[in-house]
Amino acid sequence: MNSKIWALVRIALGLIFLWAFFDKVFGLGFATKASLSWLSGGSPTTGFLSHASGPFGSYFQSLAGSPIIDWLFMLSLLGLGVALIFGIGLKLAGWGGAVLMILMWAALLPVENHLFIDEHIIYALVLIGFATSDVGSSWSMRAWWKNTGPVMRHPFLG
């Protein structure tokens, strides 16, 4: 039963990232209005990064709206969503997602409701757990993925 709970956590977190991707691409009206969607010429990073504060605020603000940062961010959301939902590439997705979450946390410093912990840190810890354990095996394509040529040649893709 424990593995099924972790599978649900993995899939649910994947759906969060995939939803964020689609909302930013199409402007579904949740976090992104249609007029500000990526397809309408909006920047998926401007809203978040332009409000960065704290000790790294000016650095993150300087990245807001950069096309390369927009592409990296959107590919990260899509890749994380797909990897977590299907249970593939969890090493790369887990570590990469943890870095993304820590960067987003750093852009929000100081956090609102605690001295230093918010949901970005919790997500980062869960993603590291997926990267360093075998909890991604239930309800996934992980066994098939680990036996593909690229993963066998480059285990970090596992």
Side-chain angles (χ1 to χ4, degrees), residues 10-11 14 18 76-94 136 140-142 145 157:
R10 187 195 79 236
I11 293 166
L18 197 59
S76 295
L77 292 179
L78 177 62
L80 279 167
V82 170
L84 291 170
I85 290 168
F86 292 106
I88 58 175
L90 291 181
K91 285 183 184 178
L92 183 61
S140 75
M141 299 174 68
R142 192 170 193 185
W145 178 257
L157 295 172

Side-chain angles (χ1 to χ4, degrees), residues 111-129:
V111 296
E112 287 184 25
N113 299 315
H114 190 273
L115 293 175
F116 56 90
I117 294 178
D118 74 354
E119 67 273 11
H120 296 93
I121 296 298
I122 303 302
Y123 288 165
L125 292 171
V126 170
L127 288 164
I128 290 168

Side-chain angles (χ1 to χ4, degrees), residues 8-103:
L8 289 172
V9 170
R10 187 195 79 236
I11 293 166
L13 190 54
L15 290 170
I16 288 172
F17 286 114
L18 197 59
W19 181 258
F21 171 80
F22 284 119
D23 186 49
K24 290 178 184 336
V25 169
F26 298 107
L28 301 175
F30 292 88
T32 308
K33 295 178 184 174
S35 62
L36 299 175
S37 73
W38 206 21
L39 286 179
S40 296
S43 164
T45 61
T46 296
F48 181 78
L49 291 177
S50 63
H51 294 97
S53 60
F56 310 110
S58 60
Y59 171 72
F60 286 111
Q61 289 172 10
S62 73
L63 299 176
S66 164
I68 188 88
I69 299 300
D70 286 346
W71 273 96
L72 288 171
F73 178 65
M74 293 302 284
L75 289 173
S76 295
L77 292 179
L78 177 62
L80 279 167
V82 170
L84 291 170
I85 290 168
F86 292 106
I88 58 175
L90 291 181
K91 285 183 184 178
L92 183 61
W95 287 111
V99 169
L100 176 65
M101 292 295 100
I102 291 168
L103 288 170

